[in-house]
Amino acid sequence: VTVLQCNPLPPASSGVLVFENGTFYQDVVWYQCDVLYTVDSGDENRTCQADKTWSGEPLTCRGYNYTYSINEAVYLHNM
């Protein structure tokens, strides 16, 4: 029995990887952007394929451009 395993994925810029199981054939990994960041490009979930590569493109996250109200700024400051 041959076990197919993909190479580890690099971490997302300003985000984290969430593994469903691992890095084996048909395993799925999700990228999640950090708080106050949003997806800039790439795929939020990727699957380990039979050719030992990951489907999709690496995810990059970018910071939101916010204009905060006073109440929002106070809330974020106290988090």
Side-chain angles (χ1 to χ4, degrees):
V1 174
T2 302
V3 177
L4 300 175
Q5 185 173 16
C6 289
N7 290 326
L9 287 165
S13 63
S14 302
V16 296
L17 292 172
V18 180
F19 289 90
E20 182 178 88
N21 289 314
T23 58
F24 296 97
Y25 176 59
Q26 293 187 329
D27 283 347
V28 177
V29 64
W30 286 270
Y31 284 97
Q32 185 175 20
C33 293
D34 291 338
V35 174
L36 298 182
Y37 284 79
T38 188
V39 174
D40 186 39
S41 64
D43 295 292
E44 291 183 73
N45 58 52
R46 299 176 70 187
T47 303
C48 181
Q49 303 176 116
D51 64 358
K52 299 182 182 180
T53 63
W54 291 96
S55 65
E57 296 296 321
L59 186 85
T60 58
C61 302
R62 65 177 165 81
Y64 284 117
N65 292 322
Y66 277 125
T67 302
Y68 295 108
S69 70
I70 296 297
N71 289 338
E72 289 171 324
V74 168
Y75 171 78
L76 291 172
H77 176 73
N78 291 323
M79 286 180 67

